[in-house]
Amino acid sequence: MRNPFEFGRELGIDEIVDRRAELDEVVATVTYGGKLFLIGPRRFGKTSILKAAEDHLLAMHAVVVRLDAESYPSLDLLVSSLLTGTAKQLRGTVERIGEQIRRFFSRLRPELNFSVNERQWTARVGVSTGEMPQDHLTLLVEALDGLEHLAKSQPQHKPVGLIIDEFQRMIELGGPHAEAQIRAAIQRHKRTGYVFAGSKTRLLTSMVTDAARPFYRFGTSRFIGAIPREEFKSFLQAGFTSSKFRVATPDAVDVILDLAEQVPYNVQMLAHACWEDLRSEEVPVLDERVIRAALDRLVRQYDPFYTQLWTGLTTIQQKTLRIVIQQGGTYLQSTKVVQAMGRGPATIRKSLSALINHGILGEEEGSGTLKFRFEDPFFPHWIVRFTARI
């Protein structure tokens, strides 16, 4: 039998649970030359949504380039990949494709090469003998303008789009003027669709909701939350029963969702571990005993990683994480918490901010309450089980 619960890779269109609205919006944004900010915490399936949308658009014969900005140490390398990705999407002879790239992106003076053996394009930009490399932000703006020129040359029914994951990294690489210059460029573009996604929710939310920032109310914003509980329960139930495993009670899969805090990546990981354990049992029945044993095994498996993460924190940060667990992530600057920490509110705020920057905690707003949550919901289980109280 094949384990039906997948994690740790980009999922296909048919594997995503209840993300049709988000998928449709990404596809529509590229199809109609719009602008979309897709904002959501890590582990919530954002990258799989983008991958599924890309696959759908490619099936429509769109020219679409998807890049992860965190993969590039500088903007010129990102721009080179943008050109390489564009060349891969074009149809025609090698000479014809090369001519189009050089024409539409002429201000970048691209150097193009095509490997006959690997059937792959490579591109370099901003390089000219005897001249200094151009400013990297200027390269990016000119690349975006070049993509729009290419889009205008395509038939009306052929969409052209750029999907940037972890968009905030591109802004960081571009420096203090990046937001304004990128906005100034793409606000003139009519044919190219842009999807900017990111997991730094606080930063990106500020980017699109702060009236003083260039991307304020620019295009559409969609925030990715947890998958609706009933849909996720149905998916989990079907995965176990289709494998001929019995689910002890209708509430058994609720235990998986609660322990993983409905974070899609962790739900899939815990369900995957449960499935593997059940496969070796003579009478496979999913119940709370099986689920908690699987979680314990996962936490032990990641003990070296969690240990390194924990020991890299200051004592105050470790105490802060314990308080987050005890308080359920809310009211962290109350008198009770300040007394328990033995520190002032300013110190607690500084510690929380550092933990957010480390990617350990995230912020979640709803019903008028600010809640701090672990990006990895299994980490607090490890803290409770394996660390001494401070």
Side-chain angles (χ1 to χ4, degrees):
M1 293 187 293
R2 180 174 179 271
N3 195 318
F5 304 111
E6 298 279 356
F7 68 97
R9 66 173 177 83
E10 297 175 338
L11 301 180
I13 294 175
D14 297 331
E15 299 173 299
I16 296 177
V17 183
D18 194 66
R19 293 298 194 193
R20 175 55 60 181
E22 292 87 343
L23 174 60
D24 288 346
E25 188 159 11
V26 174
V27 171
T29 297
V30 173
T31 301
Y32 300 110
K35 284 84 177 173
L36 170 67
F37 284 84
L38 193 68
I39 304 170
R42 293 186 188 275
R43 300 169 174 256
F44 273 64
K46 170 176 51 62
T47 301
S48 289
I49 293 170
L50 299 179
K51 171 63 166 59
E54 178 190 26
D55 290 345
H56 187 93
L57 288 161
L58 291 177
M60 296 166 53
H61 304 290
V63 176
V64 58
V65 179
R66 181 170 66 97
L67 303 173
D68 182 348
E70 287 192 339
S71 300
Y72 302 95
S74 60
L75 282 182
D76 62 317
L77 295 177
L78 185 147
V79 170
S80 294
S81 286
L82 193 160
L83 265 64
T84 299
T86 303
K88 289 178 182 177
Q89 301 299 319
L90 298 178
R91 298 291 178 265
T93 65
V94 170
E95 292 76 13
R96 171 63 176 160
I97 293 172
E99 187 275 330
Q100 289 184 78
I101 294 296
R102 293 186 184 92
R103 175 157 55 93
F104 294 122
F105 299 93
S106 59
R107 297 185 66 180
L108 294 173
R109 303 190 301 279
E111 292 185 0
L112 286 168
N113 290 290
F114 181 77
S115 170
V116 177
N117 293 331
E118 299 178 6
R119 307 294 298 174
Q120 289 282 353
W121 285 96
T122 57
R124 296 178 64 201
V125 297
V127 178
S128 181
T129 305
E131 295 185 15
M132 295 293 289
Q134 299 180 51
D135 175 77
H136 290 181
L137 182 56
T138 301
L139 289 177
L140 175 63
V141 170
E142 291 179 350
L144 298 178
D145 285 339
L147 196 62
E148 175 69 1
H149 293 323
L150 182 146
K152 289 178 178 178
S153 74
Q154 303 299 306
Q156 193 67 35
H157 64 273
K158 192 178 183 69
V160 175
L162 177 63
I163 299 173
I164 301 289
D165 201 359
E166 301 304 344
F167 175 66
Q168 71 280 343
R169 176 57 178 164
M170 196 163 82
I171 298 298
E172 292 169 3
L173 292 172
H177 303 296
E179 285 184 55
Q181 291 196 34
I182 294 172
R183 160 69 190 255
I186 66 176
Q187 70 180 357
R188 303 189 302 268
H189 298 171
K190 306 296 184 182
R191 286 292 311 278
T192 308
Y194 292 96
V195 178
F196 299 137
S199 58
K200 296 291 183 69
T201 55
R202 180 166 61 169
L203 190 155
L204 283 165
T205 299
S206 173
M207 193 181 294
V208 298
T209 61
D210 184 345
R213 301 187 68 165
F215 284 114
Y216 173 65
R217 292 186 178 178
F218 184 68
T220 305
S221 299
R222 176 176 279 271
F223 296 84
I224 299 176
I227 293 171
R229 193 175 185 89
E230 290 306 314
E231 281 80 354
F232 225 160
K233 283 180 65 175
S234 297
F235 169 78
L236 294 172
Q237 184 95 17
F240 287 110
T241 56
S242 66
S243 300
K244 310 302 181 186
F245 300 153
R246 186 166 69 86
V247 178
T249 68
D251 295 334
V253 291
D254 281 306
V255 178
I256 295 176
L257 293 170
D258 290 339
L259 292 176
E261 297 182 12
Q262 285 187 245
V263 176
Y265 180 93
N266 293 81
V267 170
Q268 294 274 46
M269 180 188 286
L270 182 53
H272 185 281
C274 291
W275 192 94
E276 292 295 333
D277 290 347
L278 287 171
R279 187 169 60 167
S280 63
E281 294 195 1
E282 186 174 344
V283 181
V285 179
L286 180 74
D287 55 21
E288 187 167 348
R289 174 192 61 82
V290 170
I291 296 167
R292 291 191 177 277
L295 176 60
D296 185 68
R297 179 166 61 82
L298 285 174
V299 169
R300 289 179 180 277
Q301 178 182 331
Y302 285 92
D303 175 66
F305 168 75
Y306 290 142
T307 299
Q308 185 178 30
L309 191 60
W310 180 256
T311 56
L313 301 175
T314 66
T315 301
I316 294 299
Q317 290 167 355
Q318 292 175 353
K319 283 186 174 181
T320 301
L321 290 181
R322 285 196 171 278
I323 290 292
V324 171
I325 296 170
Q326 293 168 15
Q327 292 289 120
T330 59
Y331 306 110
L332 298 182
Q333 298 183 56
S334 65
T335 302
K336 173 187 172 183
V337 169
V338 170
Q339 290 174 347
M341 287 281 291
R343 301 281 177 163
T347 301
I348 298 174
R349 285 196 297 271
K350 182 179 179 181
S351 179
L352 288 168
S353 180
L355 290 165
I356 290 171
N357 290 334
H358 285 321
I360 296 172
L361 293 181
E363 291 178 312
E364 194 173 85
E365 293 186 58
S367 303
T369 303
L370 176 64
K371 180 179 179 180
F372 292 87
R373 47 172 292 278
F374 281 81
E375 295 283 8
D376 178 356
F378 294 162
F379 189 28
H381 293 283
W382 179 88
I383 292 173
V384 171
R385 184 171 179 82
F386 291 106
T387 65
R389 292 194 174 275
I390 301 172

